[in-house]
Amino acid sequence: IDESTPNPPGGTYVRDPSTGELTGHIIGRPAFGRLARLLPQPTREQEREALRAAIRAYHAAGITSVIEPGLEPAEFAAFQELWASGELTVRTTAMLRVFPGTTDAELARALETIRGLAFATGFGDQWLRLGGIKFTADGGVETSYLREPFAHADDPEEPRGKPHASLENMVAVCQLASELGWQMGVHCVGDAGIDLVLDAFEAVHAHSPLQGKRWTLIHMMLARPEHFVRARAMDLVITAQQPLTYALSAGWVKYWGRERAANNEPLRAYLESGLAVGNGTDSPVTPYDPLLNLWSCATRETQFEGVLGPEWAIPLADALRWYTRGSAYTAFEEQYKGSLAVGRLADLAALTVDPLAAAPEEVRDAQVLLTMVGGRVVHDGRLGSVSPPQRPARGFAVPEGCHCAEAPG
């Protein structure tokens, strides 16, 4: 990769606008993929041990279930091995990740991946289960796809950012998914990215109605009023991740400007939309602590920028409902998880406070006394055990003064 290397579709090698020299900043999977493929791959045992460590940490935080939003086929093996040994004690709904891209070759690989599986959404059991197909329409803070230009654009030639996939390729993947009985979940952050996903979903909906299929807008961060109208017509669901606003707040302000950053992840708009909503963190991009997330949902406090968009805050009770019943619903699992009732799974966490009665700050600072999965205690904080440290996102400074969040390594 040198000054003469062209930018690939959907990616950018950022250059100094005055000299044309590469800055070292790479945007988008098509661009950084040329480097990522050179990195050594973890061994199977390293993958298993990483999962074991994550399970211990998640149990200590009171987590009993996750939706893993994007595994490539080879990555399922470590999960299956821990499932077979009985060590997978965080119930996992795993989504299959594909990359529609912008070229015919990328689309062909994505379709081949989907056709190569002889099963679809729902395959598995209550410990390890296959969810939907996942792809990304755009990126995140500085790589989202916007209707209006960035407040700070790393690539002046693409001031609104780039989509990760063409509309035609998105539609082709969604159509095949619908034909084969898959649920779909698509990452969309910028308002133009959300436009593209809704366009793709509507192309399928016109021939095969999506009502009841729970196709999902993952993040839906810079949501506009008309997006909700279109989403309701298809009975879509939303998965919200307020920690993205919390941990990456300085980045949103730098790249989007304060007004758009304040309107990021408009939780109250989700609540009032009439759509089903699930709640989560997007870890490891952000801290995985559910209690930190609930506090931020109720206050709109952020790590670096104070309160952003207080009008979008929601009551703790609604944030908790999204976290439990809502997330179970998005994964077609509400019949056996998401609430405590006779006949449901005995998955629960006991805290030092009542989250329905305590102040948001008290919930944030609460301790997990006990975590139970399937009636089995998997974490007991009452015995003096030391919980794994929750490493917060670290700030790093750049010349422009941004303190973006860096996910812990």
Side-chain angles (χ1 to χ4, degrees):
I1 301 173
D2 57 26
E3 277 72 15
S4 66
T5 304
N7 290 329
T12 302
Y13 300 113
V14 179
R15 294 166 167 83
D16 185 302
S18 59
T19 66
E21 294 181 352
L22 294 168
T23 67
H25 189 179
I26 298 176
I27 299 175
R29 178 184 173 87
F32 66 70
R34 296 183 65 174
L35 299 178
R37 68 188 180 188
L38 303 177
L39 298 175
Q41 294 300 305
T43 65
R44 186 65 57 78
E45 180 52 36
Q46 288 174 326
E47 291 178 339
R48 289 193 296 265
E49 188 51 42
L51 277 177
R52 293 184 185 108
I55 288 168
R56 291 191 297 271
Y58 277 27
H59 284 330
I63 296 171
T64 62
S65 290
V66 297
I67 296 175
E68 169 52 67
L71 294 176
E72 295 181 54
E75 296 172 324
F76 279 87
F79 285 84
Q80 183 177 357
E81 288 164 4
L82 291 196
W83 167 83
S85 67
E87 297 175 88
L88 188 65
T89 54
V90 170
R91 300 185 193 275
T92 302
T93 299
M95 300 180 73
L96 172 69
R97 184 164 188 162
V98 299
F99 304 92
T102 59
T103 66
D104 290 343
E106 290 171 310
L107 176 60
R109 285 194 295 270
L111 299 180
E112 182 181 5
T113 297
I114 298 170
R115 291 193 182 104
L117 298 177
F119 36 76
T121 299
F123 179 78
D125 62 13
Q126 294 175 351
W127 292 102
L128 180 59
R129 181 178 174 275
L130 195 60
I133 291 172
K134 155 83 175 290
F135 65 78
T136 62
D138 62 352
V141 178
E142 77 277 29
T143 57
S144 48
Y145 184 42
L146 303 173
R147 291 179 179 177
E148 302 296 330
F150 284 99
H152 171 87
D154 287 320
D155 182 2
E157 295 183 3
E158 299 288 345
R160 298 190 302 116
K162 298 178 181 179
H164 282 188
S166 66
L167 176 59
E168 295 75 16
N169 286 13
M170 290 185 193
V171 170
V173 167
C174 290
Q175 285 178 333
L176 180 61
S178 177
E179 292 169 7
L180 297 179
W182 284 91
Q183 184 187 18
M184 283 295 312
V186 183
H187 163 121
C188 47
V189 169
D191 45 8
I194 301 170
D195 291 337
L196 276 178
V197 176
L198 290 170
D199 288 345
F201 283 9
E202 285 171 342
V204 176
H205 179 67
H207 302 284
S208 179
L210 296 181
Q211 285 92 347
K213 296 182 179 179
R214 305 183 194 179
W215 282 28
T216 306
L217 299 168
I218 299 174
H219 309 312
M220 198 191 184
M221 297 194 75
L222 194 55
R224 303 300 188 183
E226 62 272 20
H227 289 151
F228 295 107
V229 176
R230 298 172 67 185
R232 279 195 297 272
M234 294 180 279
D235 192 26
L236 304 182
V237 301
I238 303 167
T239 53
Q241 294 82 21
Q242 170 66 18
L244 287 168
T245 299
Y246 166 81
L248 308 182
S249 53
W252 299 118
V253 170
K254 173 188 174 182
Y255 284 96
W256 284 13
R258 184 162 289 275
E259 181 178 352
R260 278 187 294 193
N263 289 323
N264 195 16
E265 198 83 8
L267 303 176
R268 181 160 291 278
Y270 302 159
L271 183 64
E272 296 174 352
S273 71
L275 298 169
V277 183
N279 201 354
T281 64
D282 209 44
S283 172
V285 177
T286 68
Y288 55 80
D289 183 358
L291 304 181
L292 180 71
N293 184 13
L294 294 176
W295 163 75
S296 188
C297 286
T299 64
R300 295 286 290 189
E301 288 277 1
T302 69
Q303 187 171 4
F304 301 112
E305 294 291 336
V307 176
L308 283 178
E311 67 274 20
W312 301 121
I314 60 172
L316 270 173
D318 290 306
L320 181 61
R321 175 173 54 82
W322 286 356
Y323 227 105
T324 51
R325 294 179 185 176
S327 291
Y329 181 87
T330 67
F332 288 96
E333 296 173 332
E334 75 278 7
Q335 70 275 18
Y336 56 86
K337 69 164 71 166
S339 59
L340 293 176
V342 175
R344 302 291 177 94
L345 296 173
D347 298 352
L348 59 91
L351 309 177
T352 52
V353 302
D354 178 353
L356 298 178
E361 292 74 18
E362 294 174 315
V363 172
R364 176 198 61 196
D365 297 335
Q367 299 299 309
V368 177
L369 294 176
L370 179 143
T371 305
M372 179 180 290
V373 180
R376 170 190 169 194
V377 175
V378 293
H379 169 75
D380 194 340
R382 302 168 301 173
L383 302 178
S385 59
V386 178
S387 300
Q390 166 69 79
R391 292 189 292 170
R394 301 188 298 271
F396 64 89
V398 295
E400 292 83 358
C402 170
H403 294 274
C404 302
E406 176 188 13

